[in-house]
Short mmCIF file of all heavy atoms in Angstrom, two decimals:
data_model
loop_
_atom_site.label_atom_id
_atom_site.label_comp_id
_atom_site.label_asym_id
_atom_site.label_seq_id
_atom_site.Cartn_x
_atom_site.Cartn_y
_atom_site.Cartn_z
N ALA A 1110 17.65 10.33 8.51
CA ALA A 1110 17.36 11.76 8.29
C ALA A 1110 18.14 12.65 9.23
O ALA A 1110 18.56 13.76 8.88
CB ALA A 1110 15.90 12.05 8.46
N GLY A 1111 18.45 12.18 10.45
CA GLY A 1111 19.24 12.94 11.38
C GLY A 1111 19.10 12.46 12.79
O GLY A 1111 18.30 11.57 13.06
N VAL A 1112 19.92 13.01 13.67
CA VAL A 1112 19.84 12.71 15.10
C VAL A 1112 19.70 14.00 15.86
O VAL A 1112 20.51 14.95 15.68
CB VAL A 1112 21.16 11.97 15.55
CG1 VAL A 1112 21.04 11.59 17.01
CG2 VAL A 1112 21.44 10.75 14.72
N TRP A 1113 18.65 14.08 16.73
CA TRP A 1113 18.36 15.35 17.39
C TRP A 1113 18.00 15.12 18.85
O TRP A 1113 17.61 14.03 19.27
CB TRP A 1113 17.17 16.04 16.69
CG TRP A 1113 17.48 16.50 15.31
CD1 TRP A 1113 18.27 17.55 14.96
CD2 TRP A 1113 17.07 15.85 14.09
NE1 TRP A 1113 18.34 17.65 13.55
CE2 TRP A 1113 17.60 16.64 13.02
CE3 TRP A 1113 16.29 14.77 13.79
CZ2 TRP A 1113 17.40 16.30 11.68
CZ3 TRP A 1113 16.08 14.44 12.47
CH2 TRP A 1113 16.61 15.20 11.44
N GLY A 1114 18.13 16.19 19.62
CA GLY A 1114 17.75 16.20 21.03
C GLY A 1114 16.27 16.46 21.16
O GLY A 1114 15.54 16.76 20.18
N VAL A 1115 15.78 16.41 22.40
CA VAL A 1115 14.35 16.55 22.69
C VAL A 1115 13.82 17.89 22.21
O VAL A 1115 12.73 17.99 21.62
CB VAL A 1115 14.09 16.37 24.19
CG1 VAL A 1115 12.62 16.65 24.52
CG2 VAL A 1115 14.48 14.96 24.64
N SER A 1116 14.58 18.98 22.42
CA SER A 1116 14.08 20.31 22.11
C SER A 1116 13.89 20.54 20.61
O SER A 1116 13.08 21.35 20.20
CB SER A 1116 15.03 21.38 22.68
OG SER A 1116 16.31 21.25 22.12
N GLU A 1117 14.65 19.80 19.80
CA GLU A 1117 14.59 20.01 18.34
C GLU A 1117 13.70 19.01 17.61
O GLU A 1117 13.31 19.24 16.47
CB GLU A 1117 16.00 19.89 17.74
CG GLU A 1117 17.08 20.79 18.28
CD GLU A 1117 18.42 20.43 17.71
OE1 GLU A 1117 19.01 19.41 18.20
OE2 GLU A 1117 18.87 21.10 16.77
N LEU A 1118 13.41 17.91 18.28
CA LEU A 1118 12.87 16.73 17.53
C LEU A 1118 11.59 17.05 16.76
O LEU A 1118 11.54 16.79 15.55
CB LEU A 1118 12.62 15.62 18.56
CG LEU A 1118 12.09 14.32 17.92
CD1 LEU A 1118 13.08 13.75 16.91
CD2 LEU A 1118 11.82 13.29 19.02
N GLU A 1119 10.54 17.52 17.45
CA GLU A 1119 9.26 17.68 16.74
C GLU A 1119 9.34 18.66 15.60
O GLU A 1119 8.70 18.49 14.56
CB GLU A 1119 8.19 18.11 17.73
CG GLU A 1119 7.83 17.02 18.77
CD GLU A 1119 7.42 15.70 18.08
OE1 GLU A 1119 6.75 15.73 17.05
OE2 GLU A 1119 7.81 14.64 18.61
N LYS A 1120 10.16 19.72 15.76
CA LYS A 1120 10.33 20.67 14.68
C LYS A 1120 10.98 20.01 13.48
O LYS A 1120 10.58 20.20 12.33
CB LYS A 1120 11.19 21.84 15.14
CG LYS A 1120 11.50 22.87 14.07
CD LYS A 1120 12.38 23.99 14.57
CE LYS A 1120 12.70 24.98 13.48
NZ LYS A 1120 13.63 26.07 13.96
N LYS A 1121 12.00 19.19 13.74
CA LYS A 1121 12.72 18.49 12.66
C LYS A 1121 11.79 17.45 11.98
O LYS A 1121 11.83 17.29 10.75
CB LYS A 1121 13.99 17.81 13.18
CG LYS A 1121 15.05 18.77 13.69
CD LYS A 1121 15.54 19.67 12.55
CE LYS A 1121 16.65 20.59 13.03
NZ LYS A 1121 17.15 21.52 11.94
N VAL A 1122 10.99 16.73 12.77
CA VAL A 1122 10.07 15.76 12.20
C VAL A 1122 9.09 16.47 11.25
O VAL A 1122 8.79 15.99 10.14
CB VAL A 1122 9.32 14.97 13.28
CG1 VAL A 1122 8.14 14.21 12.71
CG2 VAL A 1122 10.26 14.06 13.99
N ALA A 1123 8.57 17.61 11.67
CA ALA A 1123 7.63 18.40 10.83
C ALA A 1123 8.33 18.85 9.55
O ALA A 1123 7.71 18.82 8.47
CB ALA A 1123 7.10 19.58 11.61
N GLU A 1124 9.58 19.21 9.64
CA GLU A 1124 10.36 19.60 8.44
C GLU A 1124 10.54 18.44 7.48
O GLU A 1124 10.42 18.59 6.27
CB GLU A 1124 11.71 20.24 8.86
CG GLU A 1124 11.60 21.57 9.53
CD GLU A 1124 12.97 22.05 10.01
OE1 GLU A 1124 13.96 21.29 9.85
OE2 GLU A 1124 13.03 23.15 10.55
N ILE A 1125 10.81 17.28 8.03
CA ILE A 1125 10.96 16.10 7.19
C ILE A 1125 9.70 15.78 6.44
O ILE A 1125 9.67 15.51 5.25
CB ILE A 1125 11.40 14.89 8.05
CG1 ILE A 1125 12.79 15.12 8.62
CG2 ILE A 1125 11.38 13.58 7.21
CD1 ILE A 1125 13.19 14.11 9.70
N ARG A 1126 8.56 15.86 7.17
CA ARG A 1126 7.27 15.59 6.55
C ARG A 1126 6.99 16.61 5.43
O ARG A 1126 6.50 16.24 4.37
CB ARG A 1126 6.14 15.70 7.62
CG ARG A 1126 6.14 14.57 8.62
CD ARG A 1126 5.73 13.27 8.01
NE ARG A 1126 5.41 12.28 9.02
CZ ARG A 1126 5.41 10.99 8.78
NH1 ARG A 1126 5.67 10.53 7.55
NH2 ARG A 1126 5.10 10.11 9.70
N LYS A 1127 7.31 17.83 5.68
CA LYS A 1127 7.05 18.90 4.72
C LYS A 1127 7.91 18.70 3.48
O LYS A 1127 7.46 18.84 2.33
CB LYS A 1127 7.33 20.25 5.33
CG LYS A 1127 6.97 21.42 4.39
CD LYS A 1127 7.16 22.75 5.13
CE LYS A 1127 6.82 23.92 4.19
NZ LYS A 1127 7.00 25.22 4.88
N GLU A 1128 9.19 18.35 3.70
CA GLU A 1128 10.11 18.11 2.59
C GLU A 1128 9.66 16.94 1.72
O GLU A 1128 9.78 16.94 0.51
CB GLU A 1128 11.52 17.86 3.10
CG GLU A 1128 12.21 19.10 3.65
CD GLU A 1128 13.54 18.77 4.32
OE1 GLU A 1128 13.96 17.59 4.22
OE2 GLU A 1128 14.13 19.69 4.94
N ALA A 1129 9.15 15.86 2.35
CA ALA A 1129 8.73 14.70 1.64
C ALA A 1129 7.53 15.04 0.74
O ALA A 1129 7.52 14.73 -0.44
CB ALA A 1129 8.39 13.56 2.61
N GLY A 1130 6.51 15.66 1.34
CA GLY A 1130 5.36 16.17 0.59
C GLY A 1130 4.80 15.13 -0.38
O GLY A 1130 4.70 13.95 -0.09
N ALA A 1131 4.45 15.62 -1.53
CA ALA A 1131 3.82 14.76 -2.53
C ALA A 1131 4.82 13.80 -3.19
O ALA A 1131 4.44 12.75 -3.72
CB ALA A 1131 3.20 15.61 -3.63
N ALA A 1132 6.12 14.15 -3.09
CA ALA A 1132 7.12 13.29 -3.72
C ALA A 1132 7.27 11.96 -3.00
O ALA A 1132 7.59 10.93 -3.63
CB ALA A 1132 8.45 14.02 -3.76
N GLU A 1133 7.09 11.92 -1.68
CA GLU A 1133 7.22 10.71 -0.90
C GLU A 1133 6.02 10.57 0.04
O GLU A 1133 6.20 10.62 1.27
CB GLU A 1133 8.50 10.72 -0.11
CG GLU A 1133 9.78 10.87 -0.97
CD GLU A 1133 11.03 10.98 -0.08
OE1 GLU A 1133 11.54 9.94 0.35
OE2 GLU A 1133 11.46 12.10 0.17
N PRO A 1134 4.81 10.40 -0.49
CA PRO A 1134 3.62 10.45 0.38
C PRO A 1134 3.51 9.27 1.35
O PRO A 1134 2.81 9.38 2.32
CB PRO A 1134 2.47 10.43 -0.66
CG PRO A 1134 3.03 9.76 -1.81
CD PRO A 1134 4.48 10.18 -1.90
N ASP A 1135 4.22 8.20 1.06
CA ASP A 1135 4.03 6.99 1.86
C ASP A 1135 5.15 6.73 2.88
O ASP A 1135 5.24 5.67 3.50
CB ASP A 1135 3.94 5.76 0.93
CG ASP A 1135 2.74 5.87 0.01
OD1 ASP A 1135 1.73 6.45 0.40
OD2 ASP A 1135 2.86 5.38 -1.15
N THR A 1136 6.05 7.71 3.07
CA THR A 1136 7.18 7.51 3.93
C THR A 1136 6.73 7.29 5.39
O THR A 1136 5.90 8.03 5.94
CB THR A 1136 8.14 8.72 3.88
OG1 THR A 1136 8.66 8.84 2.56
CG2 THR A 1136 9.27 8.61 4.85
N THR A 1137 7.32 6.27 6.00
CA THR A 1137 7.15 6.02 7.43
C THR A 1137 8.40 6.48 8.17
O THR A 1137 9.53 6.21 7.75
CB THR A 1137 6.90 4.56 7.71
OG1 THR A 1137 5.64 4.15 7.11
CG2 THR A 1137 6.83 4.25 9.19
N LEU A 1138 8.20 7.17 9.32
CA LEU A 1138 9.33 7.59 10.11
C LEU A 1138 9.52 6.64 11.27
O LEU A 1138 8.59 6.32 12.01
CB LEU A 1138 9.15 9.02 10.65
CG LEU A 1138 8.98 10.11 9.58
CD1 LEU A 1138 8.85 11.48 10.27
CD2 LEU A 1138 10.15 10.13 8.63
N LEU A 1139 10.76 6.19 11.46
CA LEU A 1139 11.10 5.33 12.60
C LEU A 1139 12.01 6.17 13.53
O LEU A 1139 13.10 6.59 13.15
CB LEU A 1139 11.88 4.11 12.08
CG LEU A 1139 12.45 3.17 13.19
CD1 LEU A 1139 11.35 2.61 14.06
CD2 LEU A 1139 13.29 2.06 12.53
N LEU A 1140 11.52 6.42 14.75
CA LEU A 1140 12.24 7.20 15.72
C LEU A 1140 12.79 6.28 16.82
O LEU A 1140 12.00 5.57 17.46
CB LEU A 1140 11.34 8.27 16.35
CG LEU A 1140 10.96 9.49 15.53
CD1 LEU A 1140 10.08 9.19 14.36
CD2 LEU A 1140 10.27 10.53 16.40
N ILE A 1141 14.05 6.29 16.99
CA ILE A 1141 14.72 5.45 17.98
C ILE A 1141 15.34 6.33 19.05
O ILE A 1141 16.31 7.08 18.80
CB ILE A 1141 15.75 4.54 17.32
CG1 ILE A 1141 15.09 3.68 16.27
CG2 ILE A 1141 16.44 3.68 18.39
CD1 ILE A 1141 16.04 2.81 15.48
N ASN A 1142 14.78 6.31 20.25
CA ASN A 1142 15.21 7.13 21.34
C ASN A 1142 16.28 6.44 22.17
O ASN A 1142 16.07 5.28 22.57
CB ASN A 1142 14.00 7.49 22.24
CG ASN A 1142 12.87 8.08 21.48
OD1 ASN A 1142 12.99 9.08 20.77
ND2 ASN A 1142 11.69 7.46 21.58
N GLN A 1143 17.38 7.13 22.43
CA GLN A 1143 18.44 6.55 23.24
C GLN A 1143 18.95 7.59 24.25
O GLN A 1143 18.96 8.79 23.97
CB GLN A 1143 19.68 6.18 22.35
CG GLN A 1143 19.41 5.09 21.33
CD GLN A 1143 20.65 4.86 20.50
OE1 GLN A 1143 20.69 5.27 19.35
NE2 GLN A 1143 21.65 4.21 21.06
N THR A 1144 19.28 7.12 25.46
CA THR A 1144 19.91 7.96 26.44
C THR A 1144 21.43 7.67 26.47
O THR A 1144 21.82 6.54 26.80
CB THR A 1144 19.29 7.73 27.82
OG1 THR A 1144 17.88 8.02 27.75
CG2 THR A 1144 19.96 8.65 28.85
N ILE A 1145 22.20 8.63 26.03
CA ILE A 1145 23.65 8.46 25.92
C ILE A 1145 24.32 9.54 26.80
O ILE A 1145 24.09 10.74 26.57
CB ILE A 1145 24.12 8.56 24.48
CG1 ILE A 1145 23.41 7.47 23.62
CG2 ILE A 1145 25.62 8.41 24.38
CD1 ILE A 1145 23.75 7.55 22.13
N ASP A 1146 25.10 9.09 27.79
CA ASP A 1146 25.76 10.03 28.72
C ASP A 1146 24.75 10.99 29.33
O ASP A 1146 25.03 12.18 29.48
CB ASP A 1146 26.88 10.80 27.99
CG ASP A 1146 27.97 9.91 27.48
OD1 ASP A 1146 28.24 8.90 28.14
OD2 ASP A 1146 28.59 10.21 26.43
N GLY A 1147 23.55 10.44 29.67
CA GLY A 1147 22.58 11.24 30.35
C GLY A 1147 21.73 12.13 29.49
O GLY A 1147 20.84 12.85 29.98
N THR A 1148 21.97 12.11 28.19
CA THR A 1148 21.21 12.99 27.25
C THR A 1148 20.37 12.13 26.29
O THR A 1148 20.91 11.16 25.70
CB THR A 1148 22.18 13.87 26.44
OG1 THR A 1148 22.96 14.64 27.33
CG2 THR A 1148 21.43 14.79 25.49
N VAL A 1149 19.13 12.49 26.14
CA VAL A 1149 18.26 11.74 25.17
C VAL A 1149 18.52 12.23 23.75
O VAL A 1149 18.46 13.45 23.48
CB VAL A 1149 16.77 11.95 25.54
CG1 VAL A 1149 15.90 11.28 24.52
CG2 VAL A 1149 16.47 11.42 26.93
N ARG A 1150 18.86 11.31 22.91
CA ARG A 1150 19.05 11.59 21.48
C ARG A 1150 18.12 10.71 20.68
O ARG A 1150 17.93 9.51 21.00
CB ARG A 1150 20.50 11.31 21.04
CG ARG A 1150 21.56 11.99 21.94
CD ARG A 1150 21.57 13.48 21.74
NE ARG A 1150 22.18 13.82 20.48
CZ ARG A 1150 22.22 15.06 19.98
NH1 ARG A 1150 21.62 16.04 20.65
NH2 ARG A 1150 22.82 15.33 18.83
N THR A 1151 17.54 11.23 19.65
CA THR A 1151 16.60 10.46 18.82
C THR A 1151 17.12 10.39 17.36
O THR A 1151 17.32 11.43 16.73
CB THR A 1151 15.19 11.06 18.82
OG1 THR A 1151 14.70 11.08 20.19
CG2 THR A 1151 14.24 10.25 17.97
N SER A 1152 17.33 9.18 16.90
CA SER A 1152 17.69 8.97 15.50
C SER A 1152 16.42 8.80 14.70
O SER A 1152 15.57 7.96 15.06
CB SER A 1152 18.57 7.72 15.35
OG SER A 1152 19.76 7.86 16.10
N VAL A 1153 16.29 9.59 13.63
CA VAL A 1153 15.06 9.51 12.81
C VAL A 1153 15.42 8.91 11.45
O VAL A 1153 16.25 9.46 10.70
CB VAL A 1153 14.46 10.93 12.63
CG1 VAL A 1153 13.18 10.84 11.76
CG2 VAL A 1153 14.15 11.56 13.96
N PHE A 1154 14.79 7.78 11.17
CA PHE A 1154 14.99 7.08 9.88
C PHE A 1154 13.73 7.27 9.00
O PHE A 1154 12.62 7.17 9.50
CB PHE A 1154 15.27 5.61 10.08
CG PHE A 1154 16.60 5.32 10.73
CD1 PHE A 1154 16.73 5.26 12.12
CD2 PHE A 1154 17.72 5.08 9.95
CE1 PHE A 1154 17.95 4.98 12.71
CE2 PHE A 1154 18.95 4.79 10.55
CZ PHE A 1154 19.08 4.78 11.92
N LYS A 1155 13.97 7.45 7.73
CA LYS A 1155 12.88 7.47 6.75
C LYS A 1155 12.84 6.15 6.04
O LYS A 1155 13.84 5.74 5.47
CB LYS A 1155 13.07 8.62 5.75
CG LYS A 1155 13.03 9.99 6.31
CD LYS A 1155 13.56 11.04 5.31
CE LYS A 1155 12.80 10.99 4.01
NZ LYS A 1155 13.36 12.03 3.04
N ILE A 1156 11.69 5.49 6.07
CA ILE A 1156 11.51 4.21 5.40
C ILE A 1156 10.55 4.44 4.26
O ILE A 1156 9.38 4.81 4.46
CB ILE A 1156 11.00 3.11 6.35
CG1 ILE A 1156 11.94 3.01 7.57
CG2 ILE A 1156 10.84 1.79 5.63
CD1 ILE A 1156 11.45 2.01 8.61
N SER A 1157 11.00 4.20 3.03
CA SER A 1157 10.25 4.61 1.84
C SER A 1157 9.29 3.53 1.37
O SER A 1157 9.55 2.84 0.38
CB SER A 1157 11.22 4.99 0.74
OG SER A 1157 12.09 6.03 1.14
N THR A 1158 8.22 3.40 2.09
CA THR A 1158 7.16 2.47 1.66
C THR A 1158 5.88 2.83 2.36
O THR A 1158 5.89 3.41 3.43
CB THR A 1158 7.51 1.02 1.97
OG1 THR A 1158 6.45 0.18 1.52
CG2 THR A 1158 7.66 0.82 3.48
N GLY A 1159 4.73 2.55 1.68
CA GLY A 1159 3.45 2.78 2.29
C GLY A 1159 2.91 1.50 2.88
O GLY A 1159 1.81 1.50 3.42
N ARG A 1160 3.64 0.38 2.78
CA ARG A 1160 3.16 -0.88 3.31
C ARG A 1160 3.21 -0.88 4.84
O ARG A 1160 4.02 -0.17 5.45
CB ARG A 1160 3.99 -2.04 2.73
CG ARG A 1160 3.77 -2.20 1.24
CD ARG A 1160 4.62 -3.38 0.72
NE ARG A 1160 4.21 -4.64 1.29
CZ ARG A 1160 3.25 -5.42 0.81
NH1 ARG A 1160 2.60 -5.06 -0.25
NH2 ARG A 1160 2.96 -6.57 1.38
N LYS A 1161 2.40 -1.70 5.42
CA LYS A 1161 2.34 -1.81 6.90
C LYS A 1161 3.60 -2.54 7.35
O LYS A 1161 3.96 -3.59 6.85
CB LYS A 1161 1.11 -2.57 7.34
CG LYS A 1161 0.90 -2.62 8.85
CD LYS A 1161 -0.39 -3.26 9.23
CE LYS A 1161 -0.59 -3.33 10.75
NZ LYS A 1161 -0.68 -1.94 11.31
N LEU A 1162 4.25 -1.92 8.35
CA LEU A 1162 5.55 -2.47 8.82
C LEU A 1162 5.39 -3.12 10.21
O LEU A 1162 4.54 -2.76 11.00
CB LEU A 1162 6.58 -1.33 8.94
CG LEU A 1162 6.94 -0.64 7.62
CD1 LEU A 1162 7.88 0.52 7.89
CD2 LEU A 1162 7.53 -1.62 6.60
N SER A 1163 6.23 -4.10 10.40
CA SER A 1163 6.32 -4.76 11.70
C SER A 1163 7.72 -4.45 12.24
O SER A 1163 8.74 -4.66 11.56
CB SER A 1163 6.14 -6.25 11.56
OG SER A 1163 6.39 -6.93 12.79
N VAL A 1164 7.81 -3.88 13.44
CA VAL A 1164 9.10 -3.53 14.03
C VAL A 1164 9.25 -4.23 15.38
O VAL A 1164 8.36 -4.22 16.21
CB VAL A 1164 9.20 -1.98 14.25
CG1 VAL A 1164 10.52 -1.61 14.87
CG2 VAL A 1164 8.96 -1.25 12.94
N ALA A 1165 10.40 -4.88 15.53
CA ALA A 1165 10.68 -5.59 16.77
C ALA A 1165 11.99 -5.13 17.36
O ALA A 1165 12.97 -4.97 16.67
CB ALA A 1165 10.74 -7.10 16.51
N LEU A 1166 11.96 -4.90 18.69
CA LEU A 1166 13.18 -4.51 19.45
C LEU A 1166 13.53 -5.70 20.35
O LEU A 1166 12.76 -6.03 21.28
CB LEU A 1166 12.92 -3.26 20.28
CG LEU A 1166 13.97 -2.87 21.32
CD1 LEU A 1166 15.29 -2.52 20.65
CD2 LEU A 1166 13.50 -1.70 22.18
N ASN A 1167 14.67 -6.33 20.05
CA ASN A 1167 15.09 -7.51 20.82
C ASN A 1167 13.97 -8.54 20.94
O ASN A 1167 13.69 -9.13 21.97
CB ASN A 1167 15.54 -7.11 22.20
CG ASN A 1167 16.82 -6.25 22.17
OD1 ASN A 1167 17.60 -6.33 21.22
ND2 ASN A 1167 17.02 -5.45 23.20
N GLY A 1168 13.28 -8.75 19.80
CA GLY A 1168 12.21 -9.75 19.73
C GLY A 1168 10.85 -9.29 20.19
O GLY A 1168 9.89 -10.05 20.08
#
Side-chain angles (χ1 to χ4, degrees):
V1112 183
W1113 294 285
V1115 174
S1116 61
E1117 304 173 282
L1118 182 60
E1119 291 306 321
K1120 178 182 177 182
K1121 293 298 183 181
V1122 167
E1124 290 176 356
I1125 294 168
R1126 290 290 194 201
K1127 184 176 180 180
E1128 288 174 6
E1133 302 175 83
D1135 300 326
T1136 296
T1137 294
L1138 298 184
L1139 174 62
L1140 284 68
I1141 302 176
N1142 308 303
Q1143 296 177 255
T1144 300
I1145 300 176
D1146 296 329
T1148 302
V1149 177
R1150 309 290 286 174
T1151 300
S1152 300
V1153 181
F1154 291 88
K1155 295 166 58 179
I1156 304 176
S1157 302
T1158 181
R1160 293 180 64 88
K1161 186 175 180 63
L1162 298 175
S1163 174
V1164 180
L1166 170 64
N1167 294 336

